[in-house]
Amino acid sequence: MSRARPFAIAKQSVWAAWLQVKANHGAHGVDGQTIEAFEQRLGRNLYKLWNRMSSGSYFPPPVRAVEIPKGNDRTRKRLLGIPTVADRVAQAVVRNYLEAQVEPCFHQDSYAYRPSRSALDAIAAVRGRCWKYDWVLEFDIKGAFDHVDHELMMKAVRQHARCTWVELYVERWLKAPMMRGQEMVSRTQGTPQGGVVSPVLFNLYMHYAFDTWMARHFPGTSFVRYADDGLVHCKSEAEARRLQEAIGARLKACGLELHPEKTKIVYCRDGNRKNDYPNTSFDFLGYTFRGRLAKKQAGRLLQ
């Protein structure tokens, strides 16, 4: 008689995760194995992964560091951590479970990495609210994924997952080292961009670091958050400045920092709001919002 495995992970969940990873394609990890090579021995590879995850003996390999251009400025780089194909499947198993637990709890104005939300939804919300509010606090979090506090992250995961194997593997992924060339770099904070499970983990982290904090301390204030970019709609410049200070302090307490160059207060100037102010336009998710001359173009004040 075979020994019972401590974790009841369905084989079907591993199969579903594989289909998702295959559909998303992606580069190889530190082992050099491509999706095509993994698929050549698919049954054996998936069974091996399922067996190790179910027994608690699965340990993720290092992620492969890859630098890509950040935005349109090719001189600025964003560091990605690319898992192996097998590790992406394992992460998808956990991601699918955890997402089902946390998605119903997320704030309605959190838009990134969610199955029912999109960047276009976020832009539509911003456009509509700029009719109602004269001021916008535009903020960006500096190196947000790289500075997630592991202890706070695990506290949030345990609050929602209530599942031993999910908590176990999330903690192992957070601690998995990064391979930069021939150098192995240990990690004590952050969740690497490029990981399958990282988006839902980051959203969960920001759910407590920002979303629920805003709802509790500033219940009447409208905001839109898309991952580490956000906008807060304000009635006055003074309110915007108070919120900038308060949000900066809150994020600092969570190990994060407002980007000093990308965080600014903007006046929503148009045909009816004619005061002078240094900032009267802002970019959000690839769209430039600027004042129109008249309000007759309702619904398109900002574009």
Side-chain angles (χ1 to χ4, degrees):
M1 182 179 296
S2 61
R3 182 173 60 86
R5 294 173 177 82
F7 302 135
I9 300 175
K11 291 181 180 178
Q12 183 60 37
S13 66
V14 178
W15 175 252
W18 155 250
L19 294 178
Q20 293 168 343
V21 169
K22 181 182 177 181
N24 288 331
H25 306 290
H28 64 81
V30 294
D31 60 357
Q33 186 180 51
T34 63
I35 288 179
E36 292 74 20
F38 185 90
E39 193 171 18
Q40 288 178 4
R41 308 187 73 175
L42 184 60
R44 176 181 175 179
N45 287 333
L46 292 183
Y47 179 83
K48 180 179 178 181
L49 181 63
W50 168 80
N51 188 45
R52 290 183 174 178
M53 291 187 73
S54 298
S55 66
S57 63
Y58 177 75
F59 286 87
V63 294
R64 181 171 67 93
V66 175
E67 288 187 339
I68 62 172
K70 189 172 184 179
N72 296 325
D73 185 356
R74 302 189 69 85
T75 64
R76 298 171 61 234
K77 301 294 184 180
R78 183 189 304 276
L79 184 65
L80 301 183
I82 308 299
T84 64
V85 175
D87 196 45
R88 294 209 291 274
V89 176
Q91 289 192 33
V93 172
V94 172
R95 186 271 314 278
N96 292 342
Y97 178 94
L98 185 59
E99 186 174 74
Q101 308 305 312
V102 300
E103 177 62 28
C105 305
F106 283 162
H107 196 279
Q108 62 181 359
D109 283 319
S110 166
Y111 289 90
Y113 316 128
R114 299 184 63 185
S116 59
R117 305 290 172 112
S118 71
L120 290 179
D121 293 327
I123 290 166
V126 172
R127 181 182 291 126
R129 290 170 185 173
C130 283
W131 277 110
K132 301 177 182 179
Y133 299 94
D134 292 353
W135 298 85
V136 166
L137 169 62
E138 177 192 11
F139 70 88
D140 178 274
I141 303 174
K142 186 176 182 180
F145 278 78
D146 298 332
H147 293 94
V148 166
D149 182 283
H150 285 179
E151 184 176 346
L152 293 178
M153 182 77 264
M154 287 308 303
K155 182 178 179 180
V157 170
R158 295 185 186 103
Q159 175 67 25
H160 290 271
R162 303 183 184 277
C163 176
T164 303
W165 59 269
V166 170
E167 298 167 11
L168 174 69
Y169 292 128
V170 166
E171 189 165 23
R172 288 179 183 176
W173 280 313
L174 290 175
K175 295 179 179 180
M178 178 175 287
M179 181 71 76
R180 304 191 68 168
Q182 299 300 315
E183 181 186 6
M184 187 78 73
V185 181
S186 62
R187 296 174 47 250
T188 58
Q189 62 181 3
T191 179
Q193 287 184 275
V196 174
V197 77
S198 290
V200 70
L201 290 180
F202 184 75
N203 256 351
L204 180 58
Y205 194 81
M206 290 303 298
H207 176 71
Y208 288 106
F210 181 78
D211 301 346
T212 58
W213 177 83
M214 280 290 295
R216 184 169 62 252
H217 292 277
F218 303 97
T221 302
S222 295
F223 69 87
V224 169
R225 183 181 63 78
Y226 195 91
D228 54 353
D229 294 320
L231 298 169
V232 182
H233 298 273
C234 307
K235 297 177 181 178
S236 67
E237 180 184 3
E239 180 188 15
R241 293 196 179 282
R242 288 195 300 269
L243 281 166
Q244 182 176 354
E245 183 178 354
I247 291 170
R250 169 60 180 176
L251 293 178
K252 184 177 181 180
C254 297
L256 304 175
E257 177 187 1
L258 286 177
H259 197 297
E261 298 174 3
K262 297 182 180 180
T263 300
K264 62 182 180 180
I265 295 172
V266 180
Y267 178 58
C268 298
R269 195 172 190 272
D270 58 38
N272 299 308
R273 296 177 286 199
K274 302 179 181 181
N275 294 333
D276 290 327
Y277 195 77
N279 300 320
T280 57
S281 68
F282 59 92
D283 296 325
F284 186 61
L285 303 180
Y287 285 74
T288 298
F289 290 74
R290 61 172 66 89
R292 291 282 188 170
L293 294 178
K295 194 174 179 179
K296 63 182 181 181
Q297 300 184 27
R300 298 187 64 191
L301 168 64
L302 300 176
Q303 70 173 19

